[in-house]
Amino acid sequence: LSELSHRSIGIFDSGIGGLTVFREISKILPREDLVYLGDTARVPYGTKSAATVTRYAIQNVRFLLKEDVKLIVVACNTASAFAVEALQKEFSIPILGVIEPGVAGALRIGGAASPDTPKPPSGSFELAKPDSHSRQLKICVIGTEGTIASEAYTKALHRRDPSVRVSGVACPLFVPLVEEGWWENEITQQIARHYLNETLDRGLDAMILGCTHYPLLKSTLRKVVGERVALVDSAEETARETALLLDKRGLLRESSARPTHRFFVTDSPERFQRVGSMLLGETLLNVRHVEI
Ligand code: DGL
């Protein structure tokens, strides 16, 4: 298999948000060549049906296969929720979605606060430790309408631990707010409270950020959920899982030559370049339009 190791990692998303996953993968795997496809002509996926999203996802994979990839990461949560199983049946290449890594990350907190949770000042209170023996872990998943309606996260959590109590909240306004750059703004915080207050009132141990865009709202969400709720970033978890999978299969790129990062979009590159550069905090180069 290792003669495949020189190939690129393929990543696709409905549009720009998957750059959060791209960024985490490029951090954890700085030697890998990455090829990203953003289906910007057909975004959003979050409001579309399972059948449509699955059809788009299959076309996206077919495109990436032509780019000589060794593994495909479905960065889009909605596509992962609706289509990962269909993709894995249809194609023989390893395909990794964001749901399973996010779920594993949420269950790992089982007892400990997440690394993202600030430590209490010394001499003050102890963080509450959810103890699976004495009470159920309460996990909330936030995502697009499609992701929440699919219950993909809930099912995946229950497959691993039937005792977990899972709630799901669709937060459709978050995607445009992030693309507008309103990550830490007062209005965004109010909207987040509006979506999440009821769930927070019932008590929560962890919240899974089940959408490509949400990691950019982490500091606003931290203010809204308080210090004790672990925020699980599925982009980070997926990057870690990608590295483990490549390592296990002997597919890590050996060469120390500078890796290439290429971007393809199905609409014109201009908006992707502009908004994507803001999301990544660096200028995006190498963006090309493709018809798929
Ligand atoms: N990429 C999508 C997701 O993570 C969000 C944007 C969309 O609705 O297409 O679910």
Side-chain angles (χ1 to χ4, degrees), residues 13-15 17-18 43-47 75-79 144 147 175 210-213:
D13 178 45
S14 56
V43 72
Y45 285 8
T47 50
C76 178
N77 282 254
T78 310
T144 64
T147 298
V175 166
C211 175
T212 45
H213 293 62

Side-chain angles (χ1 to χ4, degrees), residues 13-17 38-50 52-54 56 60 76 78-79 82 144-147 172 175-176 179 211-213 266 271:
D13 178 45
S14 56
I16 300 170
D39 192 8
T40 47
R42 303 189 290 195
V43 72
Y45 285 8
T47 50
K48 294 193 172 77
S49 69
T52 298
V53 171
T54 305
Y56 292 171
N60 295 340
C76 178
T78 310
F82 283 141
T144 64
E145 288 171 61
T147 298
V175 166
E179 294 192 7
C211 175
T212 45
H213 293 62
T266 53
R271 184 171 189 274

Side-chain angles (χ1 to χ4, degrees), residues 4 7-11 25 29 35 64-65 68-74 93-96 238 241-243 245-246 249 251:
L4 300 178
R7 295 187 178 188
S8 307
I9 299 174
I11 304 169
I25 291 177
L29 293 166
V35 49
L64 286 172
L65 288 177
D68 215 20
V69 293
K70 58 187 171 187
L71 163 86
I72 289 176
V73 178
V74 184
I93 187 168
I95 295 180
L96 183 69
T238 302
E241 196 58 41
T242 304
L245 193 77
L246 289 180
R249 299 196 180 208
L251 289 174

